Amino acid sequence: MEKPNKRPKNILKLDETVVNRIAAGEIIQRPANALKELLENCLDAGSTSIQVTVKDGGLKLMKIQDNGSGINKEDFPIVCERFTTSKLQKFEDLNAIGTFGFRGEALASISHVAHLTIITKTSEMQCAYKCSYHDGKLIGAPKPCAGTQGTQIVVEDLFYNVPTRKNSLKSPSEEHNRIIEVVTRFAVHNASVGFSLKKLNDNGSDVRTSPNSTQEDNIRVLYGHAVAKDLIKLQVEDPGLKVKVNGLISNVDYSGAKFTMLLFINHRLVESTPLKRALDSVYATYLAKGKHPFVYLSIEIAPNCVDVNVHPTKHEVHFLNEDAIIHKIQSSADVLLKAASTSRSFAVQTVIPPISFLDRQQSKVAGAKVYDKQLVRTDSRDQKIDKFLSTTMDSMPSSSSNECSFINQTSMESPEEPVTAVFQQKETEKRTPSEMNRAIQGASDCSDSTMRHRSSVAPGIVERRQFELTSLTQLRENVKKNTDQVLRDTFKDSIFVGCVSEKHCLIQYGTRLYIFRMERVAEEFFYQRFLDEFGNCGVICLSDPPPLYNLALMALDQEENEWRPDDGPKDHLANLASQLLFSKSEMLDDYFSLQINEKRHLVAIPLLLVDYIPDLTQLPSFVLRLASDVEWNVEKDCFDTICRVMARFYRKPNDHEVLNVGSDKDWKWTVEHVLYPAIKASLLPPKTWINDGTILQIADLPDLYKVFERC
């Protein structure tokens, strides 16, 4: 049986509309592709401000407004026709192309799959003109309208005539996220241009950057401080390869869940899988498994070495010496990361026990089983942190009679009876802080001035004075009002673990371990203490009282007080400080037990805690700050600033605090047995400590058990 003779089908020329829609489908794959093309046109026009408004992920509406050069009126009829462009005239121009667009297909493709409207105005036009386009053709004549310098392009009902493409797209929210990603990447690279992106009828903006900012600033705004703080600059230049690279890459402290790479080659937003793979392999050496970096790179290559016409959407380019350039970038990144990996920074979160934690602790059922991870050492006499730390005091030379004389305590029969420290010096002339510290001698010379009672009462009985001052009451109320109760409970029920350094201490609360800044906590404690003991402070007498003038002059010689010649002669400033404090001596003595005699010598300082004497090497700075940092004219501000200056002086105990001759008790003993018990008893921690790093949680027993279980 003979087979039927099959006749070949005739080759037909496609209709122009079909051709245009097929081409449009290649170039405009989704709303984000259309937006990318339009943003590049805005940048080619020299815009410094670009505003994008979208609806339903750009499918219903996409409006782009710029302040660029605009479109000439005579170009209106052909602006949306295919292969009409102002960027090149012949094929050889591609070898030196310096603009984003060059094919003239973006507006043409959009007009074939959406309703397109253009409103534009150049600097030479008297008014703006509005044009509507369909399938690349101008509909009607351009209409004059009001408008500003630049161009506004409105794209409506994208893919209205390509239902298959429209149905294949994901949800509007997903398309909107892709638009955000495109605008964000352009905003980072083009830092001199202000970008904004928002949804229609939405007051807030999804993306907003300022003109004339920097890449670092825009990364901080758009990707967050967590990314921006860990960036390092990458710079590569090789004249032989005709390449120059500038970028910002994350260091070893940053690790993201996915690889974020912003790549611009000759200012085009593109992708490069080989480069991304090469950088990822470098970071794999420094980051944990499953963690990835953040990379922003701007690569400039000679235009004649780049082929930009290799992809319909232009998101890929080819260039000469690609392997060599990638290796150069990879090596430079490796060098930077290796240098940065010598030390690492870890973010510490300020954590305090939540209310739920307190409730859980109080709601435990009696007799319920207690697991090992909930057991806590509560006996402070047990093993201490000092066993594991080499103390700085051990390495210090032992004090001798010609180096340092220690404080000798008077009779301490009752806790209310304060200690007397005597400040002796053979010469009353100008002395150094170390000399002042060495001058501390026995207290028996001044035992009759240990406590000056404020009223005539029986010997040995201290009667507290009450003050009904509005300013004082307001200061005390402010302290109570700003108190954080959870922090208060944390300090109140905590156990002192030990001193990490002179500035940091460890405490334990429940199953949690905290580190806090000792000086900041002590300063706030003494500030509150001065408010509570207002007019009722004890007295620490100084033998051979030092002149205020000498103390102020000594402080001006110290670099920390930042004296400048513009401030005036030191002796004149010291004399003014001495006069001012002497004129306020009656008030300082009555309210704060700061005694100044008629010779303008400092006779005594306040006693707030038994067995506690502040660091006397800071006495010169204390006198200078008391004269310069106090607001003397307003009562409330006066009391507040005096207490602040006093608290700053008292926050650090004397470095060689010894209560009896031959005792080995040092400043650590004072902090643990004198200062911190008082802090536990009465400190009202302010709410600001929650966020400013004053107290930080560094460990939690249940969490540690989880780590050990995984091991």
Side-chain angles (χ1 to χ4, degrees):
M1 184 176 179
E2 295 183 1
K3 295 182 179 180
N5 188 15
K6 290 186 177 180
R7 181 181 179 83
K9 294 183 179 180
N10 294 330
I11 299 176
L12 302 176
K13 184 178 181 180
L14 290 176
D15 183 75
E16 185 177 354
T17 302
V18 178
V19 173
N20 290 331
R21 290 185 183 179
I22 292 175
E26 293 179 350
I27 298 171
I28 310 301
Q29 299 175 358
R30 58 185 349 116
N33 296 123
L35 179 62
K36 174 180 176 293
E37 299 287 344
L38 297 176
L39 289 177
E40 290 178 345
N41 286 344
C42 294
L43 295 171
D44 282 338
S47 305
T48 59
S49 176
I50 302 175
Q51 302 172 12
V52 181
T53 306
V54 298
K55 180 180 180 182
D56 292 345
L59 292 171
K60 191 66 177 177
L61 172 72
M62 190 159 45
K63 182 168 64 176
I64 300 91
Q65 171 79 54
D66 67 46
N67 62 347
S69 58
I71 302 173
N72 293 321
K73 188 176 180 180
E74 56 270 20
D75 295 332
F76 289 169
I78 63 171
V79 71
C80 285
E81 291 185 5
R82 291 187 69 191
F83 309 120
T84 56
T85 180
S86 61
K87 282 72 183 269
L88 79 164
Q89 296 179 353
K90 55 185 182 294
F91 182 79
E92 288 74 13
D93 293 342
L94 281 174
N95 295 330
I97 192 72
T99 58
F100 298 107
F102 54 85
R103 287 194 297 243
E105 287 189 292
L107 290 176
S109 298
I110 294 173
S111 70
H112 282 91
V113 293
H115 302 302
L116 180 64
T117 303
I118 299 177
I119 301 175
T120 185
K121 179 182 181 299
T122 65
S123 59
E124 299 176 353
M125 293 181 181
Q126 297 296 323
C127 65
Y129 286 89
K130 180 178 181 181
C131 307
S132 298
Y133 294 87
H134 177 71
D135 288 341
K137 303 297 182 180
L138 177 63
I139 302 175
K143 299 178 182 179
C145 64
T148 58
Q149 170 78 31
T151 302
Q152 179 184 107
I153 297 179
V154 181
V155 180
E156 298 176 279
D157 299 324
L158 188 61
F159 301 128
Y160 75 97
N161 53 359
V162 191
T164 304
R165 174 63 59 84
K166 186 173 183 179
N167 294 333
S168 67
L169 297 176
K170 296 184 178 181
S171 63
S173 60
E174 176 65 22
E175 297 303 322
H176 184 74
N177 290 336
R178 291 177 180 270
I179 289 176
I180 292 176
E181 183 179 357
V182 170
V183 177
T184 298
R185 291 170 181 255
F186 272 96
V188 169
H189 180 70
N190 301 278
S192 60
V193 181
F195 285 82
S196 72
L197 167 65
K198 70 173 187 176
K199 293 181 180 179
L200 184 66
N201 300 324
D202 193 348
N203 294 328
S205 298
D206 294 311
V207 175
R208 180 175 292 277
T209 61
S210 302
N212 300 319
S213 56
T214 63
Q215 276 87 10
E216 293 93 330
D217 293 336
N218 286 352
I219 290 175
R220 183 177 291 104
V221 171
L222 301 174
Y223 288 94
H225 178 70
V227 177
K229 69 182 180 66
D230 290 328
L231 294 179
I232 52 179
K233 290 187 177 181
L234 172 68
Q235 294 181 329
V236 179
E237 187 169 2
D238 191 327
L241 298 175
K242 299 181 181 180
V243 63
K244 181 179 180 182
V245 181
N246 289 289
L248 296 166
I249 63 174
S250 59
N251 59 24
V252 294
D253 294 330
Y254 174 82
S255 58
K258 65 177 183 178
F259 195 150
T260 303
M261 182 170 178
L262 285 63
L263 176 61
F264 289 81
I265 297 181
N266 289 356
H267 307 291
R268 296 177 183 278
L269 177 60
V270 296
E271 296 178 3
S272 175
T273 301
L275 178 58
K276 187 174 183 179
R277 190 181 298 115
L279 290 174
D280 206 10
S281 65
V282 172
Y283 276 95
T285 308
Y286 303 96
L287 301 182
K289 185 177 180 181
K291 298 299 181 181
H292 302 281
F294 176 95
V295 174
Y296 159 70
L297 292 178
S298 176
I299 304 176
E300 296 183 28
I301 307 174
N304 59 355
C305 297
V306 181
D307 186 359
V308 297
N309 191 29
V310 297
H311 195 278
T313 62
K314 294 177 288 188
H315 83 279
E316 289 183 6
V317 296
H318 290 170
F319 48 91
L320 297 179
N321 305 313
E322 183 172 347
D323 293 339
I325 292 175
I326 290 177
H327 179 71
K328 191 80 174 180
I329 296 173
Q330 184 184 31
S331 301
S332 300
D334 190 28
V335 171
L336 289 176
L337 294 175
K338 187 176 296 184
S341 65
T342 56
S343 64
R344 294 202 177 194
S345 301
F346 297 92
V348 181
Q349 181 180 3
T350 303
V351 182
I352 63 172
I355 299 297
S356 58
F357 174 80
L358 299 176
D359 293 340
R360 264 198 324 271
Q361 293 292 96
Q362 297 172 359
S363 61
K364 289 182 178 178
V365 180
K369 182 179 179 181
V370 179
Y371 296 95
D372 290 342
K373 66 181 181 180
Q374 296 172 327
L375 295 176
V376 181
R377 175 179 65 81
T378 57
D379 189 350
S380 61
R381 295 171 298 177
D382 288 348
Q383 187 170 309
K384 305 305 291 287
I385 193 175
D386 294 341
K387 179 179 178 180
F388 304 96
L389 300 175
S390 58
T391 61
T392 56
M393 297 298 295
D394 296 339
S395 60
M396 295 178 63
S398 59
S399 56
S400 59
S401 58
N402 63 344
E403 290 178 337
C404 179
S405 300
F406 293 103
I407 298 172
N408 191 11
Q409 183 179 341
T410 59
S411 176
M412 295 290 295
E413 295 181 357
S414 84
E416 286 80 9
E417 184 179 1
V419 64
T420 301
V422 183
F423 190 81
Q424 292 183 338
Q425 179 76 20
K426 293 181 179 180
E427 299 179 0
T428 59
E429 289 82 9
K430 179 178 175 182
R431 60 197 86 170
T432 65
S434 59
E435 290 171 342
M436 296 170 67
N437 206 29
R438 291 197 296 267
I440 304 173
Q441 296 290 349
S444 58
D445 299 338
C446 194
S447 59
D448 59 335
S449 302
T450 297
M451 172 68 78
R452 181 165 60 83
H453 302 300
R454 301 299 182 179
S455 60
S456 299
V457 294
I461 300 177
V462 179
E463 180 179 328
R464 289 187 61 85
R465 299 191 300 166
Q466 301 297 327
F467 294 88
E468 301 296 335
L469 298 175
T470 302
S471 57
L472 183 62
T473 302
Q474 290 176 350
L475 291 173
R476 291 171 176 171
E477 289 297 325
N478 288 341
V479 171
K480 295 178 181 178
K481 181 179 179 181
N482 294 324
T483 299
D484 185 271
Q485 188 58 42
V486 178
L487 271 180
R488 171 69 186 123
D489 294 337
T490 302
F491 278 100
K492 181 180 177 182
D493 300 327
S494 65
I495 299 168
F496 189 83
V497 176
C499 298
V500 180
S501 65
E502 291 187 4
K503 295 183 178 181
H504 295 90
C505 295
L506 291 175
I507 59 173
Q508 179 179 318
Y509 175 73
T511 60
R512 303 185 181 195
L513 184 66
Y514 295 89
I515 187 170
F516 68 90
R517 298 186 180 183
M518 188 65 223
E519 288 189 353
R520 188 179 295 181
V521 172
E523 183 173 341
E524 180 63 27
F525 164 74
F526 280 113
Y527 171 76
Q528 297 176 14
R529 190 79 171 180
F530 274 110
L531 293 178
D532 293 338
E533 298 298 320
F534 189 86
N536 294 282
C537 300
V539 176
I540 300 176
C541 293
L542 308 178
S543 69
D544 192 9
L548 293 174
Y549 172 84
N550 288 357
L551 292 174
L553 194 60
M554 189 186 307
L556 291 171
D557 288 336
Q558 297 173 353
E559 293 183 2
E560 63 186 44
N561 293 310
E562 299 179 349
W563 173 84
R564 297 172 301 178
D566 296 342
D567 298 331
K570 293 182 180 179
D571 55 348
H572 176 67
L573 295 176
N575 189 50
L576 290 178
S578 174
Q579 292 178 2
L580 175 61
L581 295 180
F582 179 71
S583 66
K584 308 294 183 181
S585 60
E586 185 176 356
M587 183 267 289
L588 293 173
D589 180 19
D590 191 29
Y591 291 158
F592 301 100
S593 298
L594 190 72
Q595 299 178 5
I596 301 172
N597 63 17
E598 296 181 354
K599 296 181 180 180
R600 301 183 184 179
H601 291 188
L602 184 60
V603 176
I605 59 176
L607 174 69
L608 294 176
L609 293 176
V610 176
D611 295 346
Y612 187 91
I613 294 178
D615 183 9
L616 295 179
T617 62
Q618 298 299 315
L619 196 58
S621 296
F622 163 65
V623 170
L624 183 62
R625 291 191 183 99
L626 195 62
S628 60
D629 295 353
V630 173
E631 175 55 60
W632 298 99
N633 298 322
V634 182
E635 182 179 89
K636 180 180 176 180
D637 294 340
C638 177
F639 293 159
D640 178 60
T641 50
I642 289 177
C643 291
R644 291 292 180 190
V645 172
M646 293 272 199
R648 183 173 180 179
F649 172 48
Y650 274 75
R651 67 185 181 182
K652 183 180 178 181
N654 196 62
D655 194 33
H656 295 283
E657 176 70 16
V658 177
L659 301 178
N660 295 292
V661 175
S663 172
D664 60 350
K665 298 172 182 176
D666 57 12
W667 64 271
K668 292 184 179 180
W669 185 93
T670 304
V671 170
E672 180 176 356
H673 297 282
V674 179
L675 181 55
Y676 192 73
I679 290 174
K680 284 182 58 175
S682 63
L683 175 66
L684 300 178
K687 297 177 182 178
T688 55
W689 286 2
I690 297 176
N691 300 315
D692 65 2
T694 299
I695 177 171
L696 303 171
Q697 177 185 317
I698 59 176
D700 185 12
L701 192 59
D703 293 340
L704 291 177
Y705 266 82
K706 294 177 182 178
V707 174
F708 296 144
E709 288 170 359
R710 287 197 294 267
C711 295

